[in-house]
Amino acid sequence: MKQIAYAIALTLCSPAAWAAEKLSLNEVSQYLNGISTATAPFSQINDDGSLSTGKLYMHRPGRMRFEYAPPNKGVVVAGAGAVLIQDPKSNQPPETYPLKRTPLSLILARNVDLGRANMVVGHSFDGTSTIIRAQDPKNPEYGSIEMMFTGDPVELRKWVIHDGSGGRTTVILGGLKTGVKLPSKLFNTSSAPSR
């Protein structure tokens, strides 16, 4: 029993356990700028409390795609400066918004600089993860994005979009696989996205 207690004590005192600390804005900016392409499974908690799952595709700068699993089967595509939302259940044409009017534009920017004046409105550490809340400093009414990063190595694990009307959408990422080859047609916003 003493050996088990000793092993647990050693584990708790190991460098990995006490070395975790808040990532700097520069470290996080460098990490995001270092991502060119990535894929990840995701779970999304919608503002009404419902849960969706699917797969995320990212091609920085400016492109992202969310493919939702059944029964949802929706698609959200960011590309060519626009965000296109297709909900097959609605029987309506896809909705389109300018990407720059969404908080996602902050992580899809060509050059992410979280140190820019008034962009970061929250920067904290919960003992495990660094949490950064950012907004467009010129247009805070567009909402904000709260991102959670783990360190060693740095990895984006989750984000929460706070929209301008007070709604909240949480996206929790599975393992982010970077440096993958992605066809450009995944990010086509000129027509309804195909699956």
Side-chain angles (χ1 to χ4, degrees):
M1 193 66 170
K2 276 186 180 178
Q3 288 175 328
I4 293 170
Y6 183 67
I8 291 171
L10 275 179
T11 303
L12 294 175
C13 295
S14 70
W18 56 262
E21 57 186 43
K22 182 163 79 169
L23 298 165
S24 71
L25 296 179
N26 187 44
E27 285 175 295
V28 173
S29 296
Q30 284 180 355
Y31 163 75
L32 290 171
N33 287 323
I35 297 173
S36 59
T37 59
T39 62
F42 72 88
S43 297
Q44 179 176 305
I45 304 163
N46 303 304
D47 192 43
D48 63 3
S50 62
L51 181 71
S52 307
T53 60
K55 188 161 185 185
L56 165 80
Y57 303 86
M58 183 172 15
H59 194 306
R60 294 189 63 259
R63 292 172 282 180
M64 191 175 275
R65 179 183 179 103
F66 297 86
E67 282 186 1
Y68 292 88
N72 186 315
K73 291 189 177 179
V75 179
V76 175
V77 180
V83 177
L84 187 133
I85 301 168
Q86 181 187 36
D87 180 1
K89 290 191 229 168
S90 74
N91 294 322
Q92 298 292 318
E95 296 177 56
T96 306
Y97 303 94
L99 176 60
K100 67 182 180 184
R101 288 182 170 256
T102 73
L104 274 181
S105 65
L106 299 173
I107 59 174
L108 293 177
R110 183 169 301 282
N111 181 32
V112 176
D113 180 9
L114 294 172
R116 209 168 94 206
N118 302 320
M119 178 180 277
V120 171
V121 293
H123 183 199
S124 61
F125 183 68
D126 67 4
T128 308
S129 303
T130 298
I131 299 135
I132 296 173
R133 187 162 177 170
Q135 65 184 16
D136 180 339
K138 294 178 185 166
N139 300 286
E141 70 276 10
Y142 292 168
S144 64
I145 184 168
E146 187 178 307
M147 300 168 283
M148 180 181 282
F149 299 87
T150 52
D152 197 25
V154 179
E155 189 170 38
L156 176 61
R157 304 297 303 163
K158 169 180 146 180
W159 68 72
V160 181
I161 299 284
H162 300 266
D163 66 32
S165 59
R168 208 179 126 118
T169 305
T170 302
V171 173
I172 302 161
L173 299 175
L176 200 66
K177 187 192 253 185
T178 59
V180 294
K181 192 167 175 134
L182 298 174
S184 57
K185 68 178 183 180
L186 282 175
F187 310 101
N188 182 4
T189 57
S190 62
S191 61
S194 59
R195 288 188 55 98

